[in-house]
Amino acid sequence: MRRTKLVTTVLLLALAWTLQLVPAPAGAVVGGRAATPADNPAMAGLVRSGQAAVDSLFCGGSVISPTAVVTAAHCLEGGLKASQIDVVAGGVRLTDPALQRARVSRVIVHPGYDDVRTVHDVAVLLLATPLTVRPVALATPAEASLGAPGAILRLTGWGEQRYNSPESLPDTLRYADIPVVANSACKRLFDVYDAALQLCGRAANNRPDSCQGDSGGPLIGGTAPAVRLVGIVSYSADQCGSPGFAGVYVRVSAERDWIAAAAGLDGPAALLPAQPAAPAVRKTVRTRIGTISCDEDSCSVVVRVSGSGRRDVSSVVVRVRRPEQRGFSATSRYVQARKVAPGVYRARTLLPYGIVNLTAVAFDAAGTQLGVAAREQIEVFDA
């Protein structure tokens, strides 16, 4: 049976320091197949400096130049420094002694990254030494059709092949072909979905699918010689492979100019101006995460909305974020809450074992963010 209990941040930090937390390999492709070097030569992995790749890979990425890798911004949460990260590339097996490895010299996170809505979820890693693998080109705005509904994109990744199952981690890279679905379908699943900056992928019966920890990994489109990086794994809903859900990916064509500038693809590396700030939260709407109760199958999270603007609230979304921790890699997903009484919403979800952070976001009918509540350091464990 699953239960939850709150633990203090101080205790967790002390425990992390004592145990020297090492993340498990990032999630792989549910229902995928073993990859060959030809399936994605530019595939990269983010690993802990000084540790074996097979034991410490925590996110994916793509080599976009000999000295630059693009990944998801949320992979760098938790205060990770460049000196703590290496990049591996040039092979499909994490235990391959010929796998290339380079130290990260600089981490550049998109200045518009919003960890509540998970938009602009992109970061560039600059490398201290060059890799000799073939980089993948970024999809340009003129190539946005590569990510149009109906397009088939190739997903690659290492790690869990079943949700919340570290024992399913493979040594060999896996791949799957994922169809892009209509923006309207994804907007129904996620109020935070932004069609201008994101695309949505879902296979029949949701298999194959990206899974927890696949974050930062690539969606590749086009045909040789015009192969392009079209998407970057960002977030998903509930269990990976669950019927009726989908994975959300950064739309690279929309972020291409920033990525290229940060990586120095168009000249010396320089940062573009930050994106406009997110709409201010209305002070008349207060959002609070209340009772969390779990049974053998799932957990119920109650969200309460109050204040004079309560009636403006059209929907509430709960984000489940598991930070990087011992035995698990960083993951993020969203769950739509159901209104059960005036000002009261309930989200039913399967919380992953370990420490999780919850964020509840209230929206009006136009999709404007009205209120945000966070509850962090919740421990979920077996009874």
Side-chain angles (χ1 to χ4, degrees):
M1 178 178 292
R2 290 167 174 259
R3 294 183 291 166
T4 61
K5 67 178 181 180
L6 299 180
V7 293
T8 66
T9 302
V10 173
L11 177 61
L12 287 173
L13 290 175
L15 180 62
W17 180 262
T18 302
L19 295 177
Q20 293 184 324
L21 303 190
V22 178
V29 180
V30 176
R33 301 177 180 179
T36 69
D39 288 314
N40 184 4
M43 180 71 200
L46 279 56
V47 303
R48 289 285 191 170
S49 297
Q51 300 180 21
V54 72
D55 296 327
S56 65
L57 189 145
F58 60 94
C59 269
S62 297
V63 179
I64 56 174
S65 86
T67 56
V69 167
V70 65
T71 186
H74 77 260
C75 288
L76 289 311
E77 290 182 347
L80 272 179
K81 299 178 181 178
S83 60
Q84 298 173 300
I85 309 168
D86 288 349
V87 164
V88 294
V92 296
R93 292 179 55 243
L94 293 173
T95 54
D96 185 349
L99 197 67
Q100 296 181 46
R101 186 161 180 157
R103 183 173 58 83
V104 173
S105 62
R106 186 182 179 192
V107 173
I108 306 174
V109 175
H110 195 295
Y113 172 53
D114 181 341
D115 68 348
V116 174
R117 286 176 170 261
T118 318
V119 293
H120 299 298
D121 187 13
V122 59
V124 168
L125 308 179
L126 300 182
L127 309 180
T129 55
L131 299 169
T132 60
V133 302
R134 187 170 74 240
V136 63
L138 303 170
T140 66
E143 297 169 316
S145 60
L146 290 173
I152 305 297
L153 303 176
R154 176 147 296 184
L155 167 73
T156 50
W158 284 285
E160 295 179 22
Q161 300 174 76
R162 296 185 303 277
Y163 174 77
N164 228 23
S165 302
E167 71 278 3
S168 69
L169 299 168
D171 174 37
T172 301
L173 184 71
R174 298 184 70 81
Y175 81 92
D177 293 329
I178 305 292
V180 178
V181 300
N183 289 320
S184 58
C186 215
K187 187 65 176 177
R188 286 194 295 270
L189 292 172
F190 310 103
D191 277 357
V192 293
Y193 179 74
D194 188 327
L197 300 174
Q198 299 165 334
L199 57 89
C200 205
R202 179 174 63 193
N205 299 320
N206 260 54
R207 287 178 179 267
D209 186 18
S210 56
C211 197
Q212 58 192 114
D214 260 334
S215 299
L219 276 185
I220 301 295
T223 56
V227 173
R228 298 288 185 266
L229 179 64
V230 179
I232 298 170
V233 180
S234 185
Y235 65 85
S236 62
D238 216 342
Q239 300 182 63
C240 39
S242 296
F245 290 104
V248 176
Y249 305 84
V250 174
R251 191 181 294 275
V252 171
S253 61
E255 306 282 13
R256 190 267 172 198
D257 289 347
W258 182 86
I259 296 171
L265 299 182
D266 297 333
L271 300 184
L272 299 181
Q275 297 295 316
V281 175
R282 299 180 186 178
K283 295 181 180 180
T284 54
V285 176
R286 294 182 294 277
T287 306
R288 181 172 63 88
I289 297 175
T291 305
I292 303 170
S293 58
C294 300
D295 54 31
E296 293 182 356
D297 299 320
S298 59
C299 295
S300 178
V301 180
V302 174
V303 180
R304 300 183 182 277
V305 177
S306 60
S308 59
R310 186 182 72 179
R311 294 186 178 182
D312 294 333
V313 175
S314 175
S315 62
V316 171
V317 174
V318 174
R319 185 187 71 176
V320 181
R321 170 65 58 85
R322 184 176 65 193
E324 184 188 318
Q325 57 195 272
R326 186 177 181 86
F328 295 103
S329 52
T331 82
S332 181
R333 67 177 185 269
Y334 290 88
V335 183
Q336 193 78 42
R338 180 173 60 89
K339 189 173 183 177
V340 296
V344 180
Y345 298 78
R346 178 175 285 114
R348 193 81 179 172
T349 183
L350 182 62
L351 295 180
Y353 292 136
I355 305 300
V356 299
N357 299 334
L358 300 180
T359 304
V361 188
F363 297 93
D364 64 14
T368 302
Q369 178 179 308
L370 301 182
V372 180
R375 191 167 173 184
E376 300 186 341
Q377 308 298 346
I378 300 169
E379 185 177 0
V380 183
F381 61 98
D382 273 327

